[in-house]
Amino acid sequence: MERALAQARAAAVRGEVPVGAVIIGPDGAVLAEAGNRTEADRDPTAHAEMLAIRMAAAKLGASRLIDCDLHVTLEPCPMCAQAISFARLRRVYWGASDPKGGGVEHGPRIFDQPTCHHRPELYPGIAEVEAAELLRDFFKARR
């Protein structure tokens, strides 16, 4: 999670919402890491999770990331949760919960839907205080 937090900090420095994601492969090696780039890329889908999934899939040459794990600093939104399911990620670890925009424990709860074909193991609350503080400080400075 420390690498994901580092990506979140770097995103904040770039003026992006501070969310970072890291994908770990079956052998324990880092396959991909990214921070949000929605502003820089002018792309509403350039969330840290989406970018990391794309990078890991390209690196493995596969659309399914079987036996790979995602570490992300914020509860994935519905878009990212659906991509996680499509990618068949094994586990998802996240820091801060997102009552307003989350799609796992909040909102549509993507993995609980009958149309969801893959449900990863879920581990919320990893480095939650630090992840939440990054977000709080970022938005406080913007207001």
Side-chain angles (χ1 to χ4, degrees):
M1 186 59 79
E2 186 52 46
R3 290 178 83 122
L5 287 165
Q7 288 291 327
R9 287 185 212 100
V13 168
R14 295 190 309 270
E16 302 279 358
V17 174
V19 178
V22 176
I23 295 181
I24 306 296
D27 62 355
V30 173
L31 288 176
E33 52 190 320
N36 274 357
R37 285 200 326 246
T38 58
E39 298 300 323
D41 292 0
R42 292 180 173 79
D43 178 357
T45 70
H47 290 196
E49 302 97 306
M50 299 292 284
L51 296 169
I53 288 169
R54 289 176 192 146
M55 284 186 259
K59 189 168 190 175
L60 292 177
S63 62
R64 294 191 175 173
L65 303 175
I66 307 295
D67 294 326
C68 295
D69 300 332
L70 171 69
H71 298 256
V72 62
T73 58
L74 181 65
E75 175 186 350
C77 73
M79 172 184 68
C80 293
Q82 195 64 62
I84 289 163
S85 179
F86 289 154
R88 304 295 196 264
L89 285 160
R90 175 177 56 184
R91 296 182 191 112
V92 179
Y93 302 86
W94 74 84
S97 292
D98 189 356
K100 290 183 183 178
V104 179
E105 289 189 325
H106 298 91
R109 300 174 189 257
I110 295 297
F111 303 130
D112 293 338
Q113 299 304 314
T115 54
C116 183
H117 298 295
H118 172 76
R119 186 184 201 290
E121 294 174 33
L122 304 173
Y123 299 91
I126 309 299
E128 181 175 14
V129 172
E130 188 171 358
E133 188 175 279
L134 276 170
L135 288 157
R136 209 173 14 258
D137 291 348
F138 177 83
F139 287 111
K140 186 177 179 183
R142 296 239 182 248
R143 292 184 182 126

